[in-house]
């Protein structure tokens, strides 16, 4: 199974408002070595955007919008600890802000 297939299945799980499926597919994507950021951007976020667009067009109801959000959250909750672990130990730099 290709990465594109996993992204499409993630997108569809969110678009269908299926949190259990989104969680399962997110775990599967990580097991197959897919980048957590890619799974988020190319799968989960695409799905929630689709739900938002369809809601805006009047094709979906508010309950569908909520279910899509819950499915996205289920997948994102799996990805958060992995992305946080990847970022630990990485210094991005310092920022200094001031006025004269």
């Amino acid at each position: 199974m290709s990465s594109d297939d996993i992204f499409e299945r993630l997108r569809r799980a969110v678009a269908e408002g299926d949190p259990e499926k989104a969680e399962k597919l997110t775990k599967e994507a990580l097991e197959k070595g897919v980048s957590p950021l890619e799974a988020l951007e190319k799968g989960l976020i695409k799905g929630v955007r689709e739900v938002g667009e369809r809601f805006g067009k009047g094709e979906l109801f508010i309950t569908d919008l909520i279910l899509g959000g819950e499915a996205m959250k289920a997948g994102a909750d799996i990805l958060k600890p992995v992305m946080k672990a990847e970022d630990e130990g990485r210094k991005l730099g310092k920022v200094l802000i001031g006025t004269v």
Side-chain angles (χ1 to χ4, degrees):
M1 179 183 323
S2 70
S3 294
D4 290 337
D5 184 45
I6 291 174
F7 299 143
E8 175 59 24
R9 290 170 58 206
L10 275 170
R11 183 205 57 78
R12 199 171 336 126
V14 173
E16 293 171 356
D18 190 343
E20 292 84 18
K21 190 174 182 181
E23 186 177 323
K24 177 183 165 224
L25 290 170
T26 302
K27 289 177 182 176
E28 183 181 322
L30 291 175
E31 289 170 3
K32 295 193 183 272
V34 173
S35 159
L37 188 58
E38 279 188 318
L40 185 65
E41 290 176 346
K42 295 181 180 179
L44 299 172
I45 291 176
K46 276 190 175 182
V48 86
R49 279 190 188 138
E50 179 183 328
V51 170
E53 289 171 4
R54 291 181 63 200
F55 176 75
K57 292 178 185 176
E59 296 174 4
L60 298 178
F61 297 104
I62 189 74
T63 52
D64 299 311
L65 189 67
I66 292 168
L67 286 172
E70 288 179 3
M72 163 116 181
K73 185 180 180 318
D77 286 346
I78 302 295
L79 296 174
K80 279 181 194 176
V82 177
M83 291 187 334
K84 186 175 180 178
E86 286 181 355
D87 283 344
E88 284 184 7
R90 215 187 295 179
K91 279 195 168 185
L92 300 177
K94 294 182 181 183
V95 175
L96 178 64
I97 300 175
T99 61
V100 178

